[in-house]
């Protein structure tokens, strides 16, 4: 029994091309998982393909085809050696995923279950990935076709995964036990496609769970679930967009208030300047009127003196006595005229 188990663990699927190691191959003949690159490693249940965008680790049980271009390989006299490409090694696919913990990864190369995020944790049969739109996503490792490490992983993480390592998650030894901890909560099962579901998770019997959405009931088994997460799909992205909109509206409101305050201040300053200008005009006007009155008074006194002088000359008063009398008469008559 132990010997059969050991042989099973050490044996590789017939499809694994050990002879093609170090050569250029194409994984899959088409579809989102189809990639061409250098086969740099072949292990018991996975292969590693070096591409210009990074190293892709394919789980062997999902590989449908591997093709080689013998003419192209024969023409390459100086092929890039495998040790020129940095990559991780592990005894199996789970071991590879453990080596990628806390790093930015791309789960699957395309399709409904493709997702980019930080690989937070790896258990025996599921992985925990922190994403920027669905929050924490729990992937059934059995259904993961491939995983890769994008280039510049250690130096540039990117805006879409900023602070994702801070998200909290629940833990369980196995994927089906994870479901029990998520009962009575709103969950999203599978990311996209016809098998994607949302609803309240309720535990059933014989390892099955029931998903309730409005009047519809879905009976599911964890083994066939590709991924699961709390909340509706895309809730975190919507929440972040709402926070960004609120922050934007708050900034716009502050800018508007600043403009209004500035405008009010300018109006107030303009009003003060207008008042000061009006006061200055009134002051100058009063000053002008006063000067005009003084000039009128002076002109009136001169006219009065001329009239008195004419009167004295008419009386023909003698020179010395007349001059004295003239001055007295002039002063007296001028004073008398002022009284009237």
């Amino acid at each position: 029994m132990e010997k059969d188990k050991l042989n099973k663990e050490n044996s590789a699927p017939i499809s694994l091309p050990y002879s093609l190691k170090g050569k250029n191959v194409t994984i899959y003949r088409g579809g989102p998982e189809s990639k061409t690159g250098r086969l740099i490693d072949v292990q018991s249940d996975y292969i590693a393909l070096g591409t210009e965008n990074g190293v892709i680790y394919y789980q062997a049980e999902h590989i449908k085809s591997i093709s080689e271009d013998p003419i192209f390989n024969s023409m390459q006299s100086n092929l890039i050696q495998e040790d020129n490409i940095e990559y991780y090694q592990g005894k199996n696919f789970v071991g590879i995923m453990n080596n990628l913990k806390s790093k930015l990864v791309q789960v699957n190369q395309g399709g409904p279950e493709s997702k980019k995020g930080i690989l937070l944790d790896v258990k025996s049969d599921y992985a925990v990935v922190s994403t920027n739109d669905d929050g924490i996503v729990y992937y059934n490792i059995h259904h993961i076709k491939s995983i890769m490490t994008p280039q510049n992983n250690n130096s540039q993480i990117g805006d879409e995964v900023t602070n994702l390592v801070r998200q909290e998650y629940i833990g369980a030894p196995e994927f089906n036990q994870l479901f029990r901890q998520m009962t009575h909560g709103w969950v999203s099962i599978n990311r996209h496609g016809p098998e994607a579901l949302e609803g309240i998770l309720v535990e059933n019997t014989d390892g099955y769970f029931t998903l309730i959405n409005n009047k519809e009931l879905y009976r599911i088994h964890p083994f066939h679930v590709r991924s699961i997460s709390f909340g509706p799909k895309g809730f975190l992205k919507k929440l972040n967009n709402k926070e960004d909109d609120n922050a934007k509206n708050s900034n716009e409101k502050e800018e508007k208030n600043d403009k209004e305050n500035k405008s009010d201040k300018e109006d107030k300053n303009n009003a003060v300047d207008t008042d000061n200008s009006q006061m200055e005009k009134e002051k100058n006007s009063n000053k002008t009127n006063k000067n005009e009155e003084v000039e009128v008074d002076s002109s009136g006194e001169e006219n009065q003196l001329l009239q008195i002088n004419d009167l004295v000359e008419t009386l023909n008063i003698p020179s010395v006595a007349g001059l004295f009398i003239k001055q007295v008469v002039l002063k007296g008559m001028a004073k008398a005229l002022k009284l009237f």
Side-chain angles (χ1 to χ4, degrees):
M1 182 69 178
E2 293 181 357
K3 184 177 180 181
D4 292 339
K5 183 178 179 181
L6 183 62
N7 290 335
K8 184 177 180 180
E9 290 178 351
N10 292 334
S11 62
I14 298 176
S15 60
L16 287 182
Y18 290 99
S19 60
L20 295 178
K21 185 177 179 181
K23 296 184 178 181
N24 281 36
V25 298
T26 298
I27 309 299
Y28 292 90
R29 298 182 62 183
E33 293 292 335
S34 178
K35 300 294 178 183
T36 299
R38 189 170 188 76
L39 189 61
I40 57 178
D41 196 11
V42 180
Q43 294 297 330
S44 62
D45 64 347
Y46 78 90
I47 64 172
L49 186 72
T51 70
E52 58 182 7
N53 295 324
V55 178
I56 305 174
Y57 303 90
Y58 285 95
Q59 193 164 197
E61 63 178 302
H62 295 291
I63 297 176
K64 295 181 179 180
S65 65
I66 300 177
S67 58
E68 175 198 6
D69 187 346
I71 298 178
F72 177 82
N73 284 330
S74 62
M75 293 176 62
Q76 302 299 313
S77 57
N78 296 318
L79 291 176
I80 301 174
Q81 298 301 317
E82 60 182 87
D83 55 358
N84 291 334
I85 303 176
E86 294 183 0
Y87 64 97
Y88 295 95
Q89 287 183 307
K91 294 181 179 180
N92 50 36
F93 191 68
V94 175
I96 281 294
M97 296 195 71
N98 273 301
N99 288 329
L100 299 179
K101 284 171 61 174
S102 302
K103 292 179 171 58
L104 173 64
V105 298
Q106 174 79 41
V107 177
N108 297 332
Q109 304 311 297
E113 294 300 321
S114 178
K115 185 69 67 177
K116 182 186 290 185
I118 299 295
L119 183 59
L120 298 182
D121 201 0
V122 179
K123 300 297 183 181
S124 61
D125 61 348
Y126 75 92
V128 183
V129 180
S130 177
T131 70
N132 71 328
D133 50 2
D134 293 331
I136 301 295
V137 179
Y138 303 87
Y139 275 94
N140 187 339
I141 292 180
H142 172 70
H143 293 289
I144 295 178
K145 295 181 180 180
S146 65
I147 189 169
M148 75 171 295
T149 55
Q151 288 184 340
N152 300 325
N153 177 47
N154 295 327
S155 58
Q156 295 179 351
I157 293 181
D159 295 337
E160 71 276 9
V161 291
T162 303
N163 298 325
L164 292 184
V165 292
R166 299 178 183 178
Q167 296 191 41
E168 297 181 357
Y169 59 93
I170 59 176
E174 298 178 355
F175 194 57
N176 60 346
Q177 296 179 13
L178 186 69
F179 274 61
R180 293 190 178 93
Q181 297 190 37
M182 302 178 76
T183 55
H184 306 127
W186 188 279
V187 298
S188 296
I189 292 179
N190 300 333
R191 299 301 91 203
H192 301 284
E195 298 300 322
L197 300 170
E198 288 186 17
I200 298 176
L201 189 65
V202 179
E203 187 175 4
N204 209 325
T205 57
D206 300 328
Y208 281 85
F209 290 82
T210 300
L211 195 69
I212 305 173
N213 190 334
N214 293 328
K215 298 181 180 180
E216 296 181 329
L217 301 178
Y218 303 94
R219 199 164 183 239
I220 57 178
H221 194 283
F223 180 80
H224 299 288
V225 174
R226 296 183 179 90
S227 63
I228 187 171
S229 63
F230 275 116
K233 286 186 287 291
F235 82 95
L236 185 58
K237 185 176 182 179
K238 294 178 181 178
L239 181 63
N240 291 334
N241 290 338
K242 185 176 180 180
E243 291 179 352
D244 292 340
D245 291 340
N246 291 337
K248 183 178 179 181
N249 293 334
S250 178
N251 292 335
E252 290 178 351
K253 187 176 180 180
E254 290 180 358
E255 291 178 358
K256 183 178 180 180
N257 291 335
D258 291 340
K259 289 181 180 179
E260 290 178 352
N261 293 334
K262 185 178 180 180
S263 178
D264 292 341
K265 187 176 180 179
E266 289 177 352
D267 293 341
K268 186 176 180 180
N269 291 335
N270 291 335
V272 171
D273 292 340
T274 302
D275 293 341
N276 292 336
S277 177
Q278 187 65 27
M279 291 175 64
E280 187 68 23
K281 288 181 179 179
E282 292 178 356
K283 184 177 179 181
N284 293 333
S285 177
N286 293 335
K287 186 176 180 180
T288 302
N289 294 335
K290 186 175 180 181
N291 291 336
E292 290 177 352
E293 291 177 357
V294 171
E295 290 177 357
V296 171
D297 292 342
S298 300
S299 177
E301 290 180 357
E302 290 178 356
N303 292 332
Q304 292 172 2
L305 290 175
L306 289 174
Q307 292 175 5
I308 295 170
N309 190 38
D310 292 339
L311 181 60
V312 171
E313 289 178 353
T314 302
L315 294 176
N316 194 16
I317 300 173
S319 58
V320 178
L323 179 60
F324 175 76
I325 294 171
K326 181 180 178 180
Q327 291 178 352
V328 172
V329 172
L330 286 176
K331 291 182 181 179
M333 292 183 70
K335 187 180 294 186
L337 290 173
K338 287 184 178 180
L339 294 176
F340 295 98

